[in-house]
Amino acid sequence: MSETTALFVVSEEGYWAEECIELLTTLDAAGVDVTVATPSGSPPVVDERSLDPEDVGEETVERYREIHETDDRLRDPEPIATVDAADHDAVVFPGGHGTVWDVNQDRHARGALREAVAGDDGVALVVCHAVGILAFARNADGEFLVDGRDVTGFPNEWEEGIVDDLDRIEGRKLPYWVEDEVVAAGGTFDAELDAETSVTVDGDLITARGPGSSSEAAETLLAELGVEATA
């Protein structure tokens, strides 16, 4: 049986630690061979807000920071333009506000997503703010990939509590809100705000709402790949 492989497309502008590292380590533990890519090939930046010990605990912050600083794949990623998504069984897009400024706007990242959902073999997992890439990715016929699909992702209701009145986050203008753009592209968006977690599967596309859904998202991806999760 051939080894299962996954391509992680990670933001250089700021990925959310839990959404990347929990997915990465869960797939590692299950024996999935993971390649990490970024838009330019520069090391990804971790969003410091995701390393708040009051939110995730001191031990978790230490673990996330150690992995961020020592994992060779995160320290020396591939440029996304040089990696063929077709060579991987899954393509994973961890979230974080940083994706709004780089990954979601990158034509090679969108191409990787398109490749992952184009045939019968691949699968894509898109998490949190990275779900915004669905507002810009099109299939070979020029239609939005998300048109007619059920998805979850970072909701407007949560964004309202983060940006200021001018749509700025820590002084930087947020160019769009994920839910608005995905709905405009034809997606059926439901972040299931009454539920503790939210992961949606629509064919070969898996979407997850945010950090708290990371573990469920990883388990769902492994199930879709037919790989047994390690407890």
Side-chain angles (χ1 to χ4, degrees):
M1 182 175 178
S2 61
E3 187 174 41
T4 302
T5 61
L7 171 64
F8 272 52
V9 183
V10 185
S11 174
E12 296 170 32
E13 296 282 347
Y15 72 83
W16 200 263
E18 183 173 355
E19 294 170 2
C20 180
I21 292 174
E22 289 299 335
L23 292 169
L24 185 65
T25 56
T26 299
L27 267 60
D28 280 345
V32 177
D33 182 24
V34 175
T35 296
V36 174
T38 61
S40 73
S42 295
V45 172
V46 63
D47 190 325
E48 288 295 326
R49 292 174 303 140
S50 67
L51 297 174
D52 186 341
E54 293 187 3
D55 290 335
V56 298
E58 290 281 0
E59 290 185 5
T60 298
V61 168
E62 291 178 7
R63 181 169 72 90
Y64 286 167
R65 199 175 290 282
E66 180 181 5
I67 292 172
H68 171 74
E69 294 174 352
T70 63
D71 191 296
D72 289 339
R73 295 164 297 183
L74 292 171
R75 293 300 82 217
D76 187 23
E78 303 291 334
I80 186 60
T82 68
V83 183
D84 189 351
D87 294 336
H88 300 80
D89 300 297
V91 180
V92 179
F93 296 83
H97 275 93
T99 61
V100 172
W101 291 290
D102 65 354
V103 170
N104 297 355
Q105 306 301 322
D106 189 277
R107 70 185 185 94
H108 293 103
R110 296 196 299 264
L113 174 61
R114 180 171 59 250
E115 181 66 37
V117 302
D120 297 327
D121 298 328
V123 61
L125 167 59
V126 194
V127 183
C128 195
H129 279 86
V131 172
I133 196 173
L134 295 170
F136 307 100
R138 298 174 182 265
N139 61 25
D141 296 325
E143 301 167 338
F144 286 112
L145 287 178
V146 75
D147 190 21
R149 288 183 183 261
D150 293 327
V151 295
T152 186
F154 199 83
N156 285 351
E157 186 170 324
W158 289 7
E159 202 74 86
E160 289 172 356
I162 296 175
V163 299
D164 65 15
D165 292 340
L166 300 178
D167 273 8
R168 297 173 303 190
I169 177 170
E170 297 185 340
R172 190 174 189 184
K173 177 69 165 62
L174 194 69
Y176 57 86
W177 291 20
V178 170
E179 181 177 348
D180 286 342
E181 298 301 324
V182 171
V183 169
T188 301
F189 193 100
D190 184 1
E192 302 176 288
L193 293 177
D194 292 332
E196 186 173 340
T197 62
S198 178
V199 176
T200 298
V201 180
D202 189 320
D204 42 18
L205 177 65
I206 307 167
T207 50
R209 183 178 63 199
S213 300
S214 299
S215 294
E216 182 182 345
E219 294 167 1
T220 301
L221 176 60
L222 289 174
E224 291 294 312
L225 290 170
V227 176
E228 185 174 350
T230 301

